[in-house]
Amino acid sequence: MNFDLSDEQKMLAEQARGLLGERSTPDHLRSLIESGAEWDEPLWREIAGMGFLGAAIPEEFGGLGLTELDLGVISEEMGRANVALPFFSSIVLAADAIRLTGSAAQKAAWLPKLASGEAVGTFAYVEGAGGWTGPALKATFEGGALNGVKTPVADAGVATVAVVLARAEGKPALVLVNLDQPGVTRTRLDSFDQLRPHYALTFANASAELLAGQAIEELFDRAVVQAAFEAVGGADACLTMARDYALERAMFGRPLASYQAIKHKLADIAVALELARSNAYFGGWAAGESPDDLPAAAAAARLTAISAFERAARENLQVHGGIGYTWEANCHFYYRRERTLAISLGSREAWADRLIAHLPGTQAKAA
Amino acid sequence: MDFNDTPEEAAFRAEARAWLDASAPAHEVPEGVKLDDADEVRRGRAWQRALYDGGFAGITLPKALGGRGGTVIEGVVFAEEEARHRLPKGPYMGIGLGMAIPVIGKHGNDTQRARFIDRTLKGELTWCQLFSEPSAGSDLANLRSKAVRDGDDWIVNGQKVWSSWAHESDWGILVVRTDPTVPKHKGLTFFVVDMKTPGIEVRPIKQISGASDFNETFLTDVRIPDANRIGAVGEGWACCMTVLMGERLGSGSSKSGMMPIIEYAAATPRGAGTALDNSAVRLALAEALAEERGGKYFEARLRTMVSRGENPGALAGMVKLAYAGRQQRALGLAMEIRGPEALAPSAGDAATHDLQYDYIWSTVMRIAGGADEVLKNQIAERVLGMPGDVRFDKNVPFDQL
């Protein structure tokens, strides 16, 4: 047993942290929002050049062929910098769906473009208040035509391709659709996280194709592991922000950080964060090396990461006091991103159910 | 990163499992059987002797000290395999193996190592820990028991408390004050003491559970030969730190955890199904299980650090901090799942009697081995770099406090 990142993974993390931290500063993020920008396109081009987009895409399709855990290392840094990039939509969801379920032709058509950043992908699964599983799923795919409304869909404004959950022959299925066609209408919505804009996508006889394989559950499992890494990065950033502010701010003649009420609050976050990070590591390892363990590992990573990020984002704002409620103080970026991650890809209850349903697999390792 | 055994670890696991399968059954304690303390210790000694004869006592202890000289991970592997059997393991053995041997090994002299370590590994010596006092719990260095030099002996007077299994112990590890004129951490000295020495009186403490596995220990003019002093006079605090580091990063494999509670919910009828079919119950249990898994993998990260010679320091306290609170809440939920009969089970309902006991017992885990609040301070100060608490006793001689 060796349960630590490798030296190469630590270097990758450092490289990503250095670049994203330098480019994705709070001031820069604020200016993106104020200018109405859809995303940080220059940074997208830059990280594409560094190979981050193709990290987990096979070499034959223009990627680096690295592991899920390597991708997790990058996802964590995306969360720490709270980036205005469609990395999660395009790489973690769309590219992974195509890599996991696409035919050779589908992979060849899209993976090289997604790896290079030339194309951006997204994943459209929700249908507004009506839900998105079981009988609630209304979008249909029939005879090569996609019909229905998916909303909200993250990053659809800049996406060129979407993987869409639709009903095909009565069953939920993954469908691949090029968004640059007359049958697709995109409507920008009032998004809670301004750095991750959401859209309504309307498909009216849009030309689409079924993905060859249909591993919907596995796709969700793999994606929530990456979302857990992103949440861990965000939680870590909040903890550091709160700690740094508490050290510099004095009250009643002593640093805020010297009060036990503050110390214990941050210690609790540190514990929740390390448990979550450990689950994310196991999830990343299981996704690549031990598929039988993945469903429970993914669910556990999801539950702990969201609860750590939720706590960290809330308490970071609280430690900052009134300043925390100002636009300039930056706490709100994480406060909004946290809810975005918590709600995307299913509720706390749904992942709790998945963990309980997959208990036997969790016991197998020790045997 | 790899959570699987390396080939060497897998070979060790196979060897350990084969040996345990052949050796453990004769020593197992049947489920639901409550032994009296003397019988339990007798069985514990016999199992320890079997481990010694089989070459599995002191897995990670260097060969020069009589151990197996194995890796940290081999220690974990053996503990995991051993946990598959219901063996008599308790503080009566754990304190000797996990606290006395490390402190004697690190701070003792060759004579002391030869005298105590091998016999402890063989199960011939059981140990208790004489650290805490009525006014020195989390603030351990505030202790008042004192030792005064008298020729080749020290004369000890004072009172210790929370001495687990002292009533069945052969020897104790003891820290006392030998110089009250210096600040409190500096005037302490460490000893080992034969619990049959005249002047030692062990009185059981009746706990909130009704059981008495803790004691208070009174020391009245107890003579301890200077040969039983561990380390230099005035360096008792360093010895205590060695002991406490061993206590924090124990093996997690023996912790009962969430699975029995989840299985219990799944076996408890509720409406048309079971308690686990209720979404509120399922959510609470799943969140606790997810945290528990995080703790398990976090321990794996810490063990990886230790196996490379790194010291996890205050990180080690995180595991217990998370575990103890979670376990207390989960056992409370288990009683709710059991329903009103949890308040008064019928005579033959051993499982519910155990649940009551475990719920009461879970309170102690948030206090023993560092109270929650102390661990949180350590994490804030040593991991997050936040300022130390205001201290009024720093650098003040003990006798002027």
Side-chain angles (χ1 to χ4, degrees), chain A residues 1 243 260 263 353 362, chain B residues 9 282 293 381 384 389:
Chain A
M1 189 192 79
R243 193 270 315 262
Q260 273 199 350
K263 289 165 71 175
D353 288 352
T362 67
Chain B
E9 287 159 4
R282 209 161 53 236
R293 291 172 57 110
E381 292 166 23
L384 300 178
D389 273 20

Side-chain angles (χ1 to χ4, degrees), chain B residues 48 91 174 315 349 388:
Chain B
Q48 189 59 36
L174 171 72
L315 290 172
D349 186 354

Side-chain angles (χ1 to χ4, degrees), chain B residues 194-217:
Chain B
D194 184 338
M195 292 300 285
K196 286 182 286 297
T197 312
I200 297 182
E201 187 195 350
V202 176
R203 293 184 200 160
I205 296 172
K206 187 168 181 180
Q207 298 147 210
I208 62 173
S209 62
S212 298
D213 38 33
F214 299 157
N215 302 275
E216 49 186 350
T217 305

